Amino acid sequence: MIARAALRAVCKAAKPKPVVSAPARFLHASSSRSSDALFVHRDTPYNNSKIPFEFTPDNMTKAQEIIARYPPQYKKAAVIPLLDLGQRQNKGWTSISVMNYIANLLEIPAMRVYEVATFYTMFNREPIGENLLQVCTTTPCALRGGYDILKVCEDHLKIKPGQSTEDGKFTLLEVECLGACSSAPMFQMNDDFYEDLTPETTRKILDAFAAGQKPKAGPQSGRHTIENSAGLTSLTSPPYGPGQHCVPEFQ
């Protein structure tokens, strides 16, 4: 009896236990959000390969000068400056016709130009306003009021990032670091930086551009470039003159 009881206990312990499946795991994905970056092309009435484009005589001269900077076998390296030249001629944006024209000019596959134009955010794939306003909200600017400047631009122009004003004068973008961290907050209007901004100076700049004027670029606080606002703390003595402190034969 004792032996049978022991055998039953051993068999019961060796019996496999039912497998309990783990809770089902679901794949989570972030919600899709619209972007002002365009990586694909779809023909539209204003952007298709049937719309002609070619450089003006002046720009063709500039293009040939740019291409001549590179060895003939590496002239494809001119694609970025030529895209910039084409975009400036095409009212600030790079259409499919601009890209195809430059591909033919450089004798390279069109895909090589598409790759560049869709990678660099400096190339605008959709029409923009007369003035392209790019407001920086990366960390240094954010800490110095960059989001307040963006809000002022939104309220003053009555548009959101990625939109253009009804009169076609402004396109507003929120961008990453523009490289003027020491004079934050700042924004870029077309090719120029406007730095040390306040809500008041921001409105004045926007009003000036709306009136067809171009206010002085750079810091709006009165300081020169990015010098210390409290005054110089180094390089306070006159600079050395030519040959000063050199041995006589080099003076």
Side-chain angles (χ1 to χ4, degrees), residues 31-244:
S31 59
S32 61
R33 300 180 61 185
S34 60
S35 170
D36 53 24
L38 182 65
F39 300 103
V40 296
H41 172 77
R42 297 288 184 270
D43 278 353
T44 61
Y46 61 85
N47 188 11
N48 62 77
S49 57
K50 295 180 180 179
I51 299 175
F53 175 87
E54 62 180 16
F55 281 139
T56 62
D58 287 344
N59 280 342
M60 177 56 77
T61 300
K62 294 178 182 178
Q64 295 299 342
E65 292 174 352
I66 292 171
I67 295 173
R69 299 171 189 170
Y70 305 93
Q73 68 272 31
Y74 295 121
K75 63 181 180 180
K76 63 182 180 181
V79 64
I80 290 180
L82 290 185
L83 276 172
D84 180 65
L85 186 63
Q87 176 168 273
R88 291 175 186 274
Q89 179 179 315
N90 198 47
K91 297 182 178 179
W93 69 289
T94 302
S95 66
I96 191 71
S97 297
V98 172
M99 290 184 275
N100 290 340
Y101 176 78
I102 291 172
N104 291 331
L105 185 62
L106 294 176
E107 299 178 298
I108 60 176
M111 181 55 66
R112 293 292 178 260
V113 180
Y114 302 161
E115 291 169 344
V116 174
T118 57
F119 181 82
Y120 292 102
T121 57
M122 65 182 284
F123 298 119
N124 305 306
R125 299 286 311 288
E126 286 289 315
I128 62 170
E130 181 181 341
N131 299 293
L132 179 60
L133 172 58
Q134 302 178 77
V135 183
C136 176
T137 56
T138 309
T139 306
C141 280
L143 293 174
R144 295 278 295 166
Y147 283 105
D148 295 333
I149 299 303
L150 177 62
K151 186 66 166 57
V152 169
C153 293
E154 292 177 351
D155 295 343
H156 202 70
L157 300 177
K158 296 179 175 56
I159 54 175
K160 296 293 183 181
Q163 298 177 345
S164 298
T165 55
E166 292 183 359
D167 59 6
K169 287 191 175 182
F170 295 93
T171 294
L172 175 63
L173 296 179
E174 180 183 359
V175 299
E176 297 301 320
C177 185
L178 290 171
C181 308
S182 56
S183 50
M186 58 81 64
F187 61 56
Q188 179 177 343
M189 183 74 83
N190 302 324
D191 291 330
D192 295 315
F193 280 6
Y194 291 85
E195 308 152 68
D196 288 339
L197 295 171
T198 65
E200 292 73 23
T201 56
T202 298
R203 294 187 188 96
K204 289 181 180 179
I205 293 170
L206 296 179
D207 288 340
F209 274 98
Q213 304 168 1
K214 184 180 179 180
K216 183 180 179 181
Q220 304 299 300
S221 59
R223 64 173 173 166
H224 179 64
T225 64
I226 54 172
E227 65 188 6
N228 191 332
S229 58
L232 293 177
T233 58
S234 61
L235 303 176
T236 56
S237 59
Y240 297 149
Q244 190 173 355

Side-chain angles (χ1 to χ4, degrees), residues 17-38:
K17 296 181 179 180
V19 177
V20 179
S21 60
R25 297 181 61 186
F26 296 96
L27 177 64
H28 291 273
S30 58
S31 59
S32 61
R33 300 180 61 185
S34 60
S35 170
D36 53 24
L38 182 65

